Amino acid sequence: MRAEKQILTKEYVARLNGSPFFIVVNYKGLKVSHMTELRKRLQKAAAEIHIVKNSLFQLAAKEAGVGELNGSLGGQLAVVTGQKDISSAAKVVKNFGAEFDRLKVQFGFLDNQRLAPEAIMALADLPSLDVLRAKLLGLFNAPATETGRFAQHARDATRACDPGESRESLK
């Protein structure tokens, strides 16, 4: 293998190992301006897209321990990787694909599990990880808030029933 190809393969391996997920998309028919716009949107979601050479990407995936891609690489492909959660990147890809009708999801991997295009689209419909965390914290906080309100009402009811206490002290 030529030196340039070895360098590219190592770069692909580093990207795959540095990301908890990747999404393979076919970008056939997208103009340069569209790819630039997609890159900007993905950057906001803490993700990036790189056009790959299929044969070298297959070697890199095998070297990174992703597993055999079984000839599923064909056409003009790019790979989306990121540092955060997959749902944010998948949401950008889904919305962009719907907007320009050119970007097609081929497959993806999350924690070395292969994902079908339908699974990636389902992940795109999930709220972001930050929103899910906020909802979970809200659920944990709700019982404490309700307990505090109950205690306040119980104290007020007890005071109202106490015959020794004057009405003015209740105010």
Side-chain angles (χ1 to χ4, degrees):
M1 189 182 311
R2 290 196 331 246
E4 298 89 22
K5 289 185 177 183
Q6 287 178 343
I7 291 170
L8 274 177
T9 304
K10 286 181 183 177
E11 189 178 311
Y12 294 166
V13 169
R15 280 197 195 107
L16 292 176
N17 286 334
S19 176
F21 70 89
F22 69 89
I23 302 169
V24 178
V25 296
N26 188 324
Y27 66 92
K28 184 177 180 177
L30 279 182
K31 296 180 181 179
V32 174
S33 60
H34 295 148
M35 276 301 264
T36 304
E37 177 62 26
L38 178 59
R39 281 190 171 99
K40 287 179 185 176
R41 292 181 189 184
L42 284 169
Q43 188 175 25
K44 290 177 184 174
E48 53 189 26
I49 187 168
H50 295 278
I51 295 171
V52 296
K53 184 163 175 50
N54 298 349
S55 59
L56 295 180
F57 185 73
Q58 183 138 5
L59 289 172
K62 195 174 197 178
E63 195 174 315
V66 171
E68 192 63 39
L69 299 179
N70 298 329
S72 55
L73 297 177
Q76 296 176 331
L77 299 182
V79 176
V80 176
T81 57
Q83 299 304 317
K84 285 191 167 189
D85 61 315
I86 189 172
S87 68
S88 300
K91 192 174 306 223
V92 170
V93 169
K94 180 181 179 181
N95 292 340
F96 192 86
E99 189 176 333
F100 291 101
D101 198 36
R102 295 275 188 227
L103 196 66
K104 304 289 183 217
V105 174
Q106 300 293 103
F107 63 93
F109 271 82
L110 175 62
D111 297 328
N112 289 333
Q113 290 285 86
R114 188 180 175 106
L115 300 173
E118 299 80 26
I120 295 169
M121 293 301 121
L123 286 170
D125 294 333
L126 290 176
S128 71
L129 196 55
D130 293 335
V131 171
L132 289 174
R133 284 183 181 141
K135 286 183 177 184
L136 186 61
L137 286 174
L139 286 174
F140 288 143
N141 194 26
T145 304
E146 291 301 317
T147 302
R149 284 189 196 137
F150 177 75
Q152 178 68 33
H153 289 301
R155 191 185 77 210
D156 292 345
T158 304
R159 280 187 178 166
C161 293
D162 188 8
E165 211 169 323
S166 69
R167 291 196 178 264
E168 290 167 7
S169 67
L170 291 175
K171 293 181 182 178

